[in-house]
Amino acid sequence: MSILINKQTKVICQGITGEAGSFHTRACKEYGTKIVGGVTPGKGGTFFEEIPIFDTVKEAVEKTEAQASMIFVPAAYAADAILEAEDAGIKVIICITEGIPVLDMVRVREKLAQKKEKVWLIGPNCPGIMVPEECKIGIMPGYIHKRYSNQKQLGQVGIVSRSGTLTYEAVWQLSQLGIGQSTVVGIGGDPVLGSSFIDMIELFDKDPETEVVLLIGEIGGLAEEDAARFFKEKMSKPLIAFIAGKTAPAGKRMGHAGAIIEGKSGGTAQEKSLFLKSMGVHVASSPAEIGVTVQKVLFSRNNR
Amino acid sequence: MKLEEFEAKKILESFQIPIPPYGGVVTGANEVSSALKRCGPAPWILKAQVQTGGRGKAGGIKKAKTLSEAKEIVSNLLGKKLITAQTGTDGILVKKVLIEKGVAIQKELYLSLTLDRKQGKMILIASSCGGMEIEEIAQTSPGKIEKMEVSVPSGIETYQARELLLKLGLYDSNSKLVQERIKFIKKCVKTALSIDASLLEINPLALTENHQLIALDAKIVIDDNALFRHPEFKTMESSLGQSSAERQAKKAGISYISLKGNIGCMVNGAGLAMATMDIIKQHGGEPANFLDVGGGASVQQVTTAFKIILSDKNVKAILVNIFGGIMKCDVIAQGIVTAVEEIKLTIPIVVRLEGTRAEEGRKILAQSGLNITSTRSFKESAEKVVELATGTIAVTPSPSLV
């Protein structure tokens, strides 16, 4: 099992004819993702390497029964693309685009909240979702992932992260240790996101194949603290975490729009790490030890 | 983009939000006289234009009653390093002084529009306590903070503004004044939404002796992601408030932040870049910068990144940490070799390549004959670069740093 998507998920790409859109659609298809179509207004009726292109998401959904959409539309138009996907009935919207204005995302969230049926928006400014050996929707390198652990009884790790390459680093450490991943979700580096850490760890907690959950956070905001509180109150599986940015100065945006220590209201990596520990989360002290920290928790769980 | 006070006030004025009569921004004592004339009769307020809180307490805000007094204050402020509770001991250099007319006030309040990250909403925060920071109000009188959700893009309704006035003690028996104050609040909301502000703070918001609301101070932060649809801010001087290295980086699509250490960092991805700084520190070193070279990491990008790192003369060694995903490590290795040769890099460099075609990448580095140490694990890379920068063996990370 996995969360949000699996090998049956039918996927379209909005912005399929752009440079990034075409490159990554191809890579996802090669990985085994069921790419059923693409959307570029004005290019409907044509094909991208045998993938049919439609003018609108609505038409793409009617013709292909797509359930998920991967968005590579430029920042100025990305919010509109999300709303179009939602309106067309797409259930899992993954927005890779970086640089979307915050107020656009506020507006998108307001609209999504009015929906009766749950629509999952992942991102923006994220690497996407990966179910190893089944379905890749996003820009992560496929081969570093591993589905099943070498020792079957260890089970798999569910990963949720605000970062891209740091997630690859963590996945790589785990795969090297022979530890598989059930699903890897990058929720994005922006201040206003479609889905939170809590949304994802709640899904992982219910997923029978996920044994433990790894959260990769960073400075800025209080999302990690909220997740830790949720963990303590409601979650049954162990939570492991790493928080990046212990050396980050206050008031500076560290690459990600959301990675900034603001005011006196917290948001530093030290405060986050300490709080997470106080809630019973296993916190990796060094980015080089994310893998072994997960390994330790898995072993201790199996030796109960 | 964080604006200077005078820039923020100009924006407020353009949205018809009252500010104190504006004299101008001066950079020399010779400009004072004409600025005072524009303000009208004394008293005048002279405010150092530096982006930090606690200016008043640090002597950055002064009152003058005569021209010679004003000139003297301006001369003293310009070129001075203002040390406030927020700047640290280095202080911050005063290059400009804002001159405006002193306004007689009866009450100081607080008003801001800001992003609530958790809710993913814009909120309006107001308090009948003003003049101190909102965090301070939250601690001393938490019951006196009002919060209200703002709808995007429609803003707030009139009844909501009226409710707020009641809570702030600003409701008046004079209905004309009430209408004015409702308009004031609605204008602030409209301004914040129109200019894509992630923060618009008016603190203090003052009630003058003439019963008018006026923005005595203003702080505005514009969402960088929205700058593409605001050409009007292109000319704002604050956008130049960065070092030349930071500007050069921005142009090249590189995120760069200069720090105080001596180990330069070049990393792809912001999260990994922060983690790289962290691990250097854990092993006893000090990072000289944050640098996210971006997903592409082309030869040109890598060359520019090296040049930016080297513009900091403190840098004694460089750690390159690249996780090759879509970008293949052999291509990146070739880029590094070309860049190192082109700029004739002499200081030691440690390169860790991991991911797609990492083995081939390491081979290229090894065969280059350059002063490059190729490492494999994250930890080993940090240890090695700390050793090269400090000439000592890296310390084992102490748990207290965690």
Side-chain angles (χ1 to χ4, degrees):
Chain A
M1 284 275 284
S2 52
I3 66 167
L4 297 166
I5 56 169
N6 57 40
K7 62 180 164 215
Q8 266 92 42
T9 307
K10 290 178 183 163
V11 184
I12 55 164
C13 174
Q14 289 172 260
I16 189 169
T17 50
E19 196 186 336
S22 54
F23 181 92
H24 291 291
T25 300
R26 191 183 297 125
C28 290
K29 199 177 170 198
E30 278 167 10
Y31 193 76
T33 307
K34 262 196 180 172
I35 303 279
V36 295
V39 176
T40 298
K43 292 194 181 162
T46 63
F47 288 84
F48 168 74
E49 297 175 3
E50 294 172 15
I51 301 167
I53 300 177
F54 303 92
D55 283 321
T56 65
V57 180
K58 194 171 276 169
E59 196 189 344
V61 171
E62 277 167 14
K63 302 270 166 67
T64 67
E65 297 174 332
Q67 301 135 322
S69 177
M70 169 167 78
I71 298 178
F72 281 98
V73 172
Y77 315 104
D80 192 56
I82 295 171
L83 293 176
E84 186 187 350
E86 174 261 324
D87 200 32
I90 294 282
K91 291 286 168 286
V92 182
I93 304 167
I94 295 126
C95 185
I96 310 297
T97 308
E98 180 179 358
I100 302 178
V102 171
L103 287 185
D104 286 9
M105 282 312 300
V106 171
R107 190 163 55 89
V108 165
R109 289 237 332 203
E110 223 168 276
K111 290 221 168 172
L112 289 187
Q114 290 161 7
K115 272 292 243 204
K116 275 194 199 127
E117 253 183 287
K118 179 71 191 169
V119 175
W120 289 105
L121 169 63
I122 305 295
N125 190 12
C126 78
I129 313 179
M130 170 64 134
V131 178
E133 293 165 32
E134 279 198 22
C135 183
K136 160 178 135 97
I137 306 182
I139 59 173
M140 62 292 278
Y143 80 98
I144 60 169
H145 298 79
K146 183 178 167 65
R147 184 63 200 268
Y148 298 103
S149 295
N150 291 355
Q151 292 168 266
K152 265 262 155 65
Q153 70 276 16
L154 281 186
Q156 300 155 41
V157 184
I159 304 179
V160 57
S161 171
R162 278 167 73 186
S163 165
T165 45
L166 182 56
T167 315
Y168 311 160
E169 171 74 40
V171 165
W172 180 250
Q173 288 179 21
L174 289 169
S175 295
Q176 297 284 301
L177 291 167
I179 299 168
Q181 304 100 40
S182 58
T183 308
V184 183
V185 185
I187 56 171
D190 275 2
V192 176
L193 297 169
S195 300
S196 67
F197 278 134
I198 294 182
D199 293 332
M200 295 303 113
I201 61 180
E202 194 173 9
L203 292 180
F204 278 130
D205 207 30
K206 288 182 198 144
D207 173 40
E209 239 182 36
T210 302
E211 187 75 12
V212 299
V213 181
L214 170 64
L215 177 154
I216 298 170
E218 61 191 30
I219 56 162
L222 297 166
E224 289 81 1
E225 287 86 334
D226 293 337
R229 257 181 236 113
F230 176 87
F231 161 75
K232 193 173 181 194
E233 286 164 19
K234 304 211 171 119
M235 196 171 158
S236 60
K237 294 173 187 174
L239 184 65
I240 300 118
F242 174 74
I243 310 290
K246 291 195 177 76
T247 44
K252 295 272 185 182
R253 231 167 264 282
M254 307 301 280
H256 291 155
I260 178 166
I261 301 165
E262 292 166 299
K264 290 169 187 153
S265 52
T268 69
Q270 284 83 351
E271 286 169 284
K272 284 177 188 291
S273 295
L274 283 175
F275 185 78
L276 263 61
K277 276 186 186 169
S278 76
M279 292 283 123
V281 180
H282 303 268
V283 181
S285 53
S286 152
E289 287 166 13
I290 300 172
V292 292
T293 309
V294 172
Q295 189 184 38
K296 262 185 217 157
V297 175
L298 280 173
F299 277 142
S300 68
R301 221 169 136 72
N302 267 271
N303 291 333
R304 278 179 311 190
Chain B
M1 182 173 77
K2 208 167 164 183
L3 304 185
E4 300 276 10
E5 178 191 0
F6 74 94
E7 295 170 325
K9 279 184 165 161
K10 274 184 191 163
I11 291 175
L12 295 186
E13 199 179 25
S14 72
F15 281 84
Q16 279 103 43
I17 295 167
I19 58 167
Y22 186 83
V25 175
V26 300
T27 53
N30 56 336
E31 300 161 30
V32 172
S33 163
S34 53
L36 296 184
K37 269 184 204 134
R38 279 193 293 270
C39 290
W44 305 291
I45 308 293
L46 304 103
K47 305 176 89 176
Q49 296 298 286
V50 286
Q51 297 191 339
T52 173
R55 272 183 309 171
K57 280 182 198 142
I61 302 175
K62 301 270 188 195
K63 194 175 187 176
K65 284 180 182 149
T66 65
L67 173 62
S68 61
E69 206 184 343
K71 277 187 170 172
E72 197 189 324
I73 292 170
V74 167
S75 309
N76 286 339
L77 281 176
L78 289 171
K80 182 183 168 180
K81 282 205 167 169
L82 205 64
I83 297 168
T84 77
Q86 291 176 16
T87 58
T89 48
D90 287 355
I92 180 163
L93 187 68
V94 181
K95 292 181 191 161
K96 293 188 193 83
V97 176
L98 165 65
I99 299 183
E100 55 189 28
K101 187 171 160 56
V103 179
I105 61 168
Q106 48 168 316
K107 197 172 163 49
E108 289 191 343
L109 304 99
Y110 176 95
L111 180 82
S112 75
L113 283 121
T114 187
L115 178 72
D116 180 338
R117 290 176 59 153
K118 186 175 171 177
Q119 305 296 334
K121 291 196 156 112
M122 281 301 278
I123 52 166
L124 191 162
I125 303 174
S127 173
S128 54
C129 307
M132 53 177 153
E133 282 176 57
I134 189 70
E135 288 90 350
E136 225 178 308
I137 306 173
Q139 274 184 358
T140 53
S141 21
K144 288 192 174 166
I145 293 183
E146 308 298 336
K147 284 189 185 179
M148 187 184 285
E149 268 178 26
V150 171
S151 191
V152 176
S154 61
I156 60 167
E157 300 297 332
T158 300
Y159 77 90
Q160 292 176 295
R162 195 184 310 123
E163 238 174 67
L164 194 66
L165 290 181
L166 282 163
K167 285 178 177 160
L168 295 176
L170 285 176
Y171 206 82
D172 201 280
S173 53
N174 181 338
S175 70
K176 197 172 154 253
L177 283 181
V178 171
Q179 290 313 318
E180 259 179 43
R181 289 174 193 172
I182 286 174
K183 262 191 197 154
F184 184 99
I185 292 171
K186 288 180 82 172
K187 273 184 209 159
C188 291
V189 175
K190 188 181 166 217
T191 307
L193 299 185
S194 311
I195 63 172
D196 274 293
S198 44
L199 174 72
L200 185 158
E201 186 180 61
I202 300 177
N203 186 28
L205 160 70
L207 185 63
T208 65
E209 287 186 345
N210 301 331
H211 313 287
Q212 311 291 315
L213 287 177
I214 184 168
L216 276 197
D217 196 355
K219 198 191 271 178
I220 289 180
V221 180
I222 310 276
D223 173 13
D224 289 331
N225 285 352
L227 284 175
F228 71 86
R229 59 187 175 203
H230 293 286
E232 70 270 28
F233 297 139
K234 281 239 166 78
T235 53
M236 285 275 174
E237 295 181 38
S238 298
S239 57
L240 303 173
Q242 304 163 317
S243 67
S244 72
E246 282 172 353
R247 274 204 300 279
Q248 198 190 342
K250 204 172 178 184
K251 236 187 225 165
I254 294 169
S255 302
Y256 170 81
I257 291 162
S258 167
L259 301 167
K260 286 182 177 161
N262 59 11
I263 298 175
C265 305
M266 187 194 308
V267 189
N268 66 334
L272 191 61
M274 276 189 270
T276 304
M277 288 158 47
D278 294 350
I279 200 168
I280 287 172
K281 176 99 175 175
Q282 274 187 333
H283 288 273
E286 283 290 341
N289 64 274
F290 165 91
L291 191 149
D292 173 5
V293 71
S298 61
V299 173
Q300 205 190 346
Q301 201 89 339
V302 171
T303 309
T304 310
F306 272 127
K307 283 182 183 161
I308 290 166
I309 293 172
L310 291 171
S311 69
D312 177 352
K313 297 299 165 212
N314 292 328
V315 172
K316 294 278 183 295
I318 298 174
L319 173 56
V320 179
N321 187 12
I322 303 283
F323 201 100
I326 301 309
M327 195 69 198
K328 294 178 182 63
C329 288
D330 49 350
V331 178
I332 293 165
Q334 196 52 58
I336 292 170
V337 169
T338 311
V340 168
E341 280 170 345
E342 191 194 314
I343 55 183
K344 299 185 176 64
L345 197 80
T346 51
I347 62 170
I349 134 167
V350 175
V351 179
R352 177 194 180 225
L353 297 174
E354 200 53 91
T356 317
R357 295 180 71 83
E359 201 50 58
E360 288 84 348
R362 286 184 211 117
K363 224 174 254 171
I364 291 170
L365 295 178
Q367 289 164 357
S368 70
L370 295 165
N371 187 12
I372 296 175
T373 310
S374 175
T375 51
R376 300 198 68 137
S377 84
F378 208 163
K379 183 166 175 265
E380 180 199 354
S381 315
E383 284 169 352
K384 193 70 202 168
V385 79
V386 170
E387 188 187 318
L388 290 169
T390 61
T392 55
I393 303 296
V395 297
T396 314
S398 74
S400 64
L401 278 171
V402 175

